[in-house]
Amino acid sequence: MKDFEYEKEKLKKILEKYVESLEEIDIRVKRLPETYRDNPILLANLLSVYENKLRLMKEGQLKPYFARIDFKEDGKENISQCYLGKVGISDSDNNIITVDWRAPIASMYYDSNVGLAIYEAPAGTITGELLIKRQIDIESGELQRIQDVDTVSNDEILKPYLGVTADNRLKNIVSTIQSEQNEIIRENIKTNMIIQGVAGSGKTTVALHRIAYLVYNHQKKINPDQYMVIGPNKFFLDYISSVLPDLDASQVSQLTFEELVKDYIEEDILINSAEKQLVDRASTNDKNLAVSKFKNSLKYKEALDKYIMEFDDKVVQNNDFIVKGITILPQLTMKLIYDEADKNRYLSIYARIKRAVLVASSYIENHSEIIDEVSADAFNANQKSNEFIKKEIRNRFNQSLKQYYTKLAKKSATSLYSDFIKNVNKYIDSDDKDLLKQLKDITLKNIKEKSYDFDDLAALAYIQYCLRGTKGYNKYHHVVIDEAQDYGDFNFEVLKNMMNKASFSIYGDIAQSIYSYRSIENWDSVIKVFNDEIEVKELLKSYRTTIEVMNEANHIINHIGLSPALPVIRNGDEVGYIEVKDNKTDIIYDYILSYLEKGHNSIAVITKTSDEANNIHEKLIKNGINIECITTSENKYSGGICVTTSYL
């Protein structure tokens, strides 16, 4: 009771300080335009930073923190009392009011028990004693409860948070981050990771909190837009979009793989619906499935490598380099210059061309007789000065050199891909003639209709990479790939090449693969893509579902050789199976009514196909159920009752 009264009084003081800090920052923001009127770029950046902080402070004003830790550092007399919140606040004298959950000292709340403790700070490892670790529950500015804990991961402590009725937003979990989740969130930015996490283990929330942690701790060197989140579809990105601003990471790029490739190749291509492909593949022959699998494999990349090598050999034209009817350099010399530009072919074709033009231009410049010969011919037919003419000749040489080397290389990624497919038998060593025929027929039919399947995107991006390099995508420092189990090895290879300065956090669950006909079978192949320079971590505890549901899921998980999920101590009803022959919609209708009576807000009817979803939706609407139908990745989930497909 004594501790509760102390915390109640402390909350009152912090709320007062919080209001003062808000007012002070508000005044500072209003003064910025006058102070930095001569530096509009700096002004825009400062306004963005302060306005975002103001927004976060106002949102958290009535719940300024969620925990307290007391830490006595070795060799120091004073005790650091830290109240941890979603945003760090200081008063006008720079006294800390609340500590940002991403600050180094805050890691002890998630990782350390009371007693001897350490944490990693920019200055090095800090050792000492953790005296108090306290959970604090505040609602609407009122202290609800406090609880001293040894570890945040105690299941009983988690129960109140896990039992809260869900809505249409992904949760921000800063007050309940678990130790194994915290380890991933705070991992070094340079570390590549694969996170294999069971259903409900918090993979997506951990992924977003990791991005937020990196943004906060590297803000002086890395801009927020130098991080990227790649999600499986627009529906998914819309779902997570509310969390990043809430975590002070609103400027982080968010794209689907399809959007990324379209932007990268700079062509307005039509990409066929992944959902339609899934339904088609589910009812198609094995050859179609084999084509999808092959196109997303590294064997397909190897075939493209042969084509690109052949194309690269044709970049240098078969004729001599001629200007004004005069042979400047023979074809063999032009070929030698191009080949020497990058003997190991590490550079993109355009980068090699750029280097070859410089070398050829330098060669011509060092052989003044070449310029003299051309300029003398031009001088006889022109009244301008000889020096002026020589300058013009030099410019013309440079332009002609670029045209000589780039004549073929100007082609687009789609045109080269079309050429590759038409001659695909030359580049693929396979005894399976039916597979090659099916691959050729399917792809050429799509190209004729100016459309592409997801299976073609890695190839298009790879061709663009070979032609034009990273095209600015090397600005990214860290990339999160979520639902990564649905990508093939070729997808990972392309992303690694495009963003070759970035580290990757790859989140997924092999047991939850939707597009299994095209995706990886295990993480071993991805490890090979990253040349073994990647760590594999597991999240085995499921916080989403009850023990009964998770035990049922584990029967399936065991069959595919993965580690079983460990449910949190939270019980529910046994899983029931009902065989339905007729009146399916009537049974669903009864269940929805019973769940509504129990107070559930979010209810989903999950179907295999969009046709089935539309059919059930129509019947339930007629029965008076206010239900939303979500059948494409462009739809948004706004909460409430919905019918949707399993793949969404």
Side-chain angles (χ1 to χ4, degrees):
M1 191 66 185
K2 182 182 175 184
D3 286 341
F4 187 85
E5 289 302 318
Y6 173 85
E7 294 296 355
K8 197 172 180 181
E9 190 61 30
K10 188 71 177 181
L11 174 61
K12 184 180 176 183
K13 291 177 181 177
I14 286 179
L15 286 174
E16 289 172 0
K17 290 279 188 183
Y18 206 96
V19 171
E20 289 174 13
S21 184
L22 260 174
E23 290 171 350
E24 190 176 312
I25 293 175
D26 198 31
I27 292 168
R28 204 178 300 170
V29 169
K30 288 173 182 174
R31 289 175 178 168
L32 284 175
E34 180 64 27
T35 307
Y36 296 98
R37 60 184 174 186
D38 296 330
N39 195 336
I41 295 175
L42 180 59
L43 174 62
N45 288 335
L46 288 172
L47 280 172
S48 175
V49 169
Y50 278 114
E51 286 172 355
N52 195 46
K53 182 154 187 172
L54 267 178
R55 178 184 61 78
L56 290 171
M57 286 177 67
K58 287 174 182 176
E59 287 174 1
Q61 188 171 355
L62 296 180
K63 193 172 184 175
Y65 53 90
F66 56 83
R68 167 187 161 189
I69 57 172
D70 289 7
F71 180 68
K72 186 177 183 300
E73 185 180 336
D74 288 342
K76 293 189 176 180
E77 292 298 321
N78 62 309
I79 294 171
S80 298
Q81 186 183 80
C82 303
Y83 284 86
L84 310 184
K86 282 164 57 177
V87 60
I89 308 294
S90 299
D91 63 18
S92 54
D93 297 320
N94 281 330
N95 296 312
I96 294 171
I97 302 170
T98 60
V99 174
D100 194 296
W101 69 273
R102 298 167 291 183
I105 196 171
S107 66
M108 290 189 293
Y109 172 70
Y110 302 108
D111 291 336
S112 303
N113 293 331
V114 171
L116 297 178
I118 63 171
Y119 71 92
E120 296 297 328
T125 302
I126 308 297
T127 62
E129 185 179 2
L130 187 60
L131 304 171
I132 291 176
K133 183 159 82 166
R134 179 171 291 167
Q135 284 189 326
I136 300 174
D137 191 9
I138 301 167
E139 292 296 336
S140 302
E142 297 290 332
L143 183 65
Q144 302 298 313
R145 68 184 184 101
I146 64 171
Q147 186 168 2
D148 286 356
V149 295
D150 263 352
T151 172
V152 184
S153 59
N154 182 293
D155 292 338
E156 292 299 327
I157 292 169
L158 279 172
K159 272 188 180 181
Y161 297 96
L162 298 172
V164 174
T165 303
D167 60 17
N168 59 310
R169 282 164 48 98
L170 189 65
K171 292 291 184 287
N172 152 351
I173 60 165
V174 292
S175 60
T176 58
I177 292 169
Q178 303 301 286
S179 180
E180 71 274 16
Q181 296 172 331
N182 191 53
E183 179 188 339
I184 293 165
I185 290 168
R186 294 175 186 262
E187 183 59 82
N188 190 294
I189 189 172
K190 295 180 181 178
T191 303
N192 291 314
M193 289 188 292
I194 293 170
I195 295 87
Q196 163 60 38
V198 299
S201 58
K203 292 184 296 297
T204 299
T205 43
V206 168
L208 301 184
H209 283 70
R210 172 155 174 73
I211 286 278
Y213 170 80
L214 294 176
V215 167
Y216 175 83
N217 283 279
H218 298 276
Q219 56 189 299
K220 291 181 180 178
K221 294 181 179 178
I222 304 172
N223 294 326
D225 64 358
Q226 291 176 295
Y227 300 90
M228 180 182 285
V229 176
I230 301 175
N233 53 50
K234 291 298 289 180
F235 179 65
F236 180 90
L237 291 178
D238 178 68
Y239 181 53
I240 68 169
S241 62
S242 59
V243 175
L244 286 172
D246 200 29
L247 292 172
D248 194 17
S250 56
Q251 294 177 51
V252 170
S253 302
Q254 303 166 62
L255 293 172
T256 64
F257 188 76
E258 290 92 331
E259 289 174 323
L260 188 150
V261 171
K262 281 181 74 171
D263 180 69
Y264 181 56
I265 68 172
E266 295 182 306
E267 295 186 61
D268 190 20
I269 58 173
L270 176 66
I271 300 173
N272 297 323
S273 162
E275 292 89 350
K276 183 179 182 301
Q277 280 180 258
L278 179 66
V279 175
D280 290 345
R281 296 292 189 270
S283 58
T284 192
N285 61 58
D286 291 340
K287 289 299 175 199
N288 275 359
L289 300 179
V291 167
S292 290
K293 193 78 172 175
F294 184 71
K295 281 186 174 181
N296 289 282
S297 74
L298 291 182
K299 286 184 179 179
Y300 201 48
K301 173 193 171 289
E302 290 167 8
L304 275 164
D305 281 333
K306 293 177 186 176
Y307 172 77
I308 293 293
M309 188 78 77
E310 190 178 281
F311 174 80
D312 190 43
D313 287 335
K314 296 175 184 174
V315 168
V316 178
Q317 297 177 37
N318 286 324
N319 51 281
D320 298 335
F321 177 51
I322 299 171
V323 178
K324 288 282 187 179
I326 298 172
T327 299
I328 308 302
L329 291 172
Q331 194 269 350
L332 282 174
T333 304
M334 296 297 283
K335 174 72 172 160
L336 181 65
I337 288 172
Y338 181 72
D339 290 343
E340 287 292 313
D342 182 24
K343 291 179 183 178
N344 297 311
R345 302 200 178 194
Y346 291 134
L347 297 174
S348 67
I349 289 172
Y350 262 69
R352 291 178 68 194
I353 288 170
K354 191 174 180 181
R355 188 176 288 184
V357 168
L358 287 172
V359 172
S361 179
S362 177
Y363 178 88
I364 293 168
E365 193 67 36
N366 291 331
H367 290 74
S368 56
E369 67 275 9
I370 297 174
I371 297 174
D372 290 341
E373 184 179 357
V374 178
S375 60
D377 182 60
F379 185 71
N380 293 331
N382 202 308
Q383 296 304 311
K384 293 178 182 176
S385 72
N386 198 28
E387 284 306 311
F388 184 85
I389 290 170
K390 284 184 178 181
K391 185 178 179 181
E392 279 194 335
I393 293 297
R394 286 187 178 92
N395 291 335
R396 184 172 296 177
F397 275 154
N398 287 333
Q399 288 301 317
S400 299
L401 281 167
K402 288 176 186 175
Q403 290 169 8
Y404 179 90
Y405 282 121
T406 59
K407 185 176 181 181
L408 192 64
K410 286 179 180 177
K411 291 193 173 184
S412 65
T414 52
S415 64
L416 291 189
Y417 189 52
S418 175
D419 185 49
F420 165 73
I421 293 296
K422 288 172 185 174
N423 302 284
V424 75
N425 298 64
K426 284 174 60 179
Y427 310 107
I428 299 176
D429 299 323
S430 176
D431 295 328
D432 194 341
K433 304 300 180 188
D434 289 342
L435 173 67
L436 293 182
K437 184 180 184 306
Q438 197 87 337
L439 186 153
K440 197 170 182 177
D441 290 348
I442 291 171
T443 315
L444 287 178
K445 180 177 180 292
N446 280 342
I447 289 173
K448 189 177 180 181
E449 295 170 357
K450 297 182 179 178
S451 66
Y452 297 85
D453 290 338
F454 179 93
D455 309 328
D456 300 305
L457 299 183
L460 287 171
Y462 185 66
I463 291 170
Q464 183 77 328
Y465 172 74
C466 292
L467 274 177
R468 298 176 175 88
T470 61
K471 289 182 78 268
Y473 272 84
N474 59 351
K475 79 169 188 176
Y476 290 99
H477 285 260
H478 191 76
V479 179
V480 160
I481 306 174
D482 208 352
E483 302 295 341
Q485 72 278 354
D486 281 319
Y487 292 93
D489 295 332
F490 198 3
N491 302 108
F492 292 110
E493 178 73 24
V494 161
L495 292 171
K496 185 169 74 84
N497 289 335
M498 284 171 60
M499 292 172 275
N500 56 17
K501 291 183 180 176
S503 55
F504 287 79
S505 294
I506 298 169
Y507 299 78
D509 180 12
I510 299 296
Q512 295 187 68
S513 179
I514 300 294
Y515 306 96
S516 57
Y517 57 85
R518 76 178 188 211
S519 58
I520 57 170
E521 295 175 3
N522 54 59
W523 296 116
D524 292 345
S525 59
V526 182
I527 293 170
K528 288 180 182 176
V529 168
F530 283 84
N531 302 316
D532 294 330
E533 295 176 357
I534 191 163
E535 297 180 12
V536 179
K537 298 178 184 289
E538 286 188 310
L539 292 174
L540 297 177
K541 209 164 190 179
S542 176
Y543 302 98
R544 180 188 301 150
T545 50
T546 61
I547 291 173
E548 289 75 13
V549 171
M550 211 62 248
N551 285 343
E552 202 67 20
N554 279 337
H555 293 320
I556 300 168
I557 291 173
N558 291 336
H559 277 293
I560 52 179
L562 293 172
S563 301
L566 307 172
V568 168
I569 302 172
R570 189 160 59 109
N571 291 95
D573 296 335
E574 289 293 333
V575 174
Y577 291 88
I578 303 169
E579 185 177 353
V580 180
K581 294 180 179 178
D582 302 306
N583 303 321
K584 178 163 58 181
T585 308
D586 292 342
I587 293 171
I588 292 169
Y589 173 80
D590 291 339
Y591 266 103
I592 289 174
L593 290 184
S594 69
Y595 288 137
L596 287 171
E597 287 173 6
K598 291 176 183 176
H600 294 294
N601 295 329
S602 303
I603 303 169
V605 180
I606 302 171
T607 66
K608 187 172 183 178
T609 68
S610 57
D611 287 343
E612 189 181 10
N614 287 323
N615 183 264
I616 289 173
H617 175 253
E618 187 180 331
K619 290 179 179 177
L620 288 174
I621 286 285
K622 286 180 180 177
N623 285 342
I625 298 289
N626 183 18
I627 184 169
E628 187 179 3
C629 188
I630 301 172
T631 56
T632 77
S633 62
E634 298 302 316
N635 294 140
K636 290 186 178 183
Y637 174 57
S638 305
I641 311 169
C642 73
V643 55
T644 188
T645 59
S646 60
Y647 46 86
L648 284 178

